[in-house]
Amino acid sequence: MVREELAARLNDREYKNWLKAGRCLLILKEGLHPFVSHHTRDFHADLLNQSPLLRKPCETSLCKPKRNQLSSACRPCAEWQTVILRHRRGADATVNWDNCFPPSWRTDHWEVAKAFMPRGQGKVKGAEQCDASALLNLINHCDCFHFVDPKCVREMLSLDLSISVSGLDRMDSAALDGLERDSVCQMKTSAGLISQWEAELLQERLQELLHAADDDAKTQVRRTDTDTEQLRRLGGFLQANRDLGERFSAELQAINALEDRE
C-alpha cells in the first residue's frame, strides 16, 4: 500500500519535480558541511586574532537578544555585535540575533555564523545540522565567503521547495483512485530509496518550520502569515496521505497544537 501511495504522488508532476529539486539540495548540503565548517572556523579565529577585546569573556553572562534586538550588551559582546554587522555582504542584510547566544561568541565559531542565517537556528550547534538553504544564506550574507559568486548562491536560494498548492489539492484520498499508476513497475527496485529521500525532505522541512515556530513562541514574535500557511498546507498534505501521516504523526500533533494556540 505504501508503494502504491508513493507511486500516486510521483504521478503528480509538480510533486515529482519538488522531490528531484529537494534531493539535489540534500546532496549539495552534504558537500557544503565541511566547506562551511572550515571557513567559518578560520573566520572566527581571524576575528579573535585581530581584537584583544573579542578575546575577553562576556562580563555578565546575561547578554541575550530579545525580539531580535541586542541592547545593553557588555563591552565584549557589543564589540562582537559591531564586528558581525561589519562583515555582512550587504548593508541591508538582516542579522538574526535571536539565533545567537552572545556569551558564546568568543568560544564557539558557530554562534557567530548563525547571526548570518535565517531565523529558527537557535538550537543548531553546527553545519551538519543545517539544511542547504540555511548554509546558502550564510554564504550569501557573510563576507568570509567573498570568493563565492553571490549570483550562483542566489539562484539556488530562489528555488521554491514548498509543496505546490495544485499538488496538494490533487493529492487527497479521493483523487488517488483516479491517478494512473504506470510508474509502479519502474519503481520496484527503487521505491524504498525514493521513499527514504521523500521522508528526509519532509522531515527537514517540518523541522525547519516547527523550529521557527518554537523560536517565535519563545521570543514572543508573531509568526508570519507565510509560515503559518506553509505549516497548515504541509499538515493537510500529510493527513491526506495516510502513509506519511503515520510516519510523521508526532509532527502532525505539533502542528495541530500550534493551530490550537492561535
Side-chain angles (χ1 to χ4, degrees):
M1 182 61 184
V2 172
R3 181 171 293 181
E4 289 185 2
E5 291 180 337
L6 174 61
R9 289 193 290 275
L10 293 180
N11 272 319
D12 180 275
R13 185 178 64 181
E14 293 185 21
Y15 186 77
K16 182 159 58 176
N17 287 340
W18 172 83
L19 191 59
K20 289 178 180 178
R23 178 58 187 164
C24 289
L25 287 180
L26 284 177
I27 295 172
L28 173 64
K29 176 186 73 172
E30 293 170 0
L32 285 176
H33 285 166
F35 171 78
V36 169
S37 293
H38 172 74
H39 286 286
T40 52
R41 190 175 284 109
D42 285 353
F43 172 61
H44 184 259
D46 287 343
L47 294 179
L48 290 172
N49 289 333
Q50 292 171 17
S51 172
L53 183 55
L54 295 182
R55 296 196 292 271
K56 293 185 177 181
C58 175
E59 295 173 350
T60 68
S61 297
L62 297 175
C63 296
K64 296 181 181 179
K66 185 176 182 180
R67 297 187 179 183
N68 210 37
Q69 298 292 326
L70 181 60
S71 56
S72 303
C74 69
R75 288 180 64 249
C77 289
E79 181 66 11
W80 273 108
Q81 187 178 22
T82 299
V83 168
I84 288 170
L85 289 171
R86 187 185 304 145
H87 284 279
R88 291 178 296 176
R89 291 187 82 173
D92 58 343
T94 300
V95 175
N96 283 303
W97 304 113
D98 280 336
N99 286 340
C100 307
F101 182 62
S104 294
W105 279 336
R106 179 178 66 96
T107 57
D108 188 347
H109 72 284
W110 201 249
E111 284 299 323
V112 176
K114 290 192 294 187
F116 301 97
M117 301 170 74
R119 63 192 183 86
Q121 305 293 317
K123 296 180 180 179
V124 176
K125 300 303 181 183
E128 67 281 354
Q129 298 178 8
C130 295
D131 61 17
S133 176
L135 297 175
L136 288 169
N137 270 284
L138 170 59
I139 294 171
N140 189 47
H141 293 308
C142 181
D143 68 2
C144 77
F145 297 99
H146 62 88
F147 53 90
V148 179
D149 185 354
K151 182 179 179 181
C152 296
V153 177
R154 289 164 191 161
E155 286 178 355
M156 292 299 299
L157 286 170
S158 68
L159 283 174
D160 182 7
L161 283 186
S162 60
I163 301 174
S164 65
V165 174
S166 59
L168 286 177
D169 289 343
R170 288 198 295 272
M171 296 312 296
D172 57 26
S173 57
L176 290 178
D177 295 334
L179 288 172
E180 296 182 4
R181 290 175 169 77
D182 57 355
S183 59
V184 174
C185 293
Q186 301 171 25
M187 291 169 49
K188 285 184 178 178
T189 59
S190 58
L193 187 57
I194 295 173
S195 180
Q196 178 185 331
W197 294 344
E198 178 186 48
E200 289 175 359
L201 281 170
L202 290 171
Q203 182 72 56
E204 188 171 90
R205 186 61 178 150
L206 283 163
Q207 287 181 348
E208 178 185 351
L209 291 172
L210 288 172
H211 283 170
D214 184 56
D215 282 357
D216 287 348
K218 288 181 179 179
T219 57
Q220 298 180 332
V221 174
R222 185 181 181 276
R223 284 192 297 153
T224 66
D225 291 339
T226 301
D227 287 348
T228 301
E229 177 63 14
Q230 287 183 358
L231 262 181
R232 185 191 67 79
R233 291 166 58 196
L234 191 48
F237 176 77
L238 297 177
Q239 289 175 334
N241 291 267
R242 188 173 61 180
D243 59 323
L244 297 178
E246 293 174 354
R247 187 164 194 165
F248 296 104
S249 58
E251 288 80 3
L252 268 176
Q253 291 178 4
I255 293 173
N256 292 335
L258 284 170
E259 292 178 346
D260 290 341
R261 290 206 301 262
E262 294 182 348

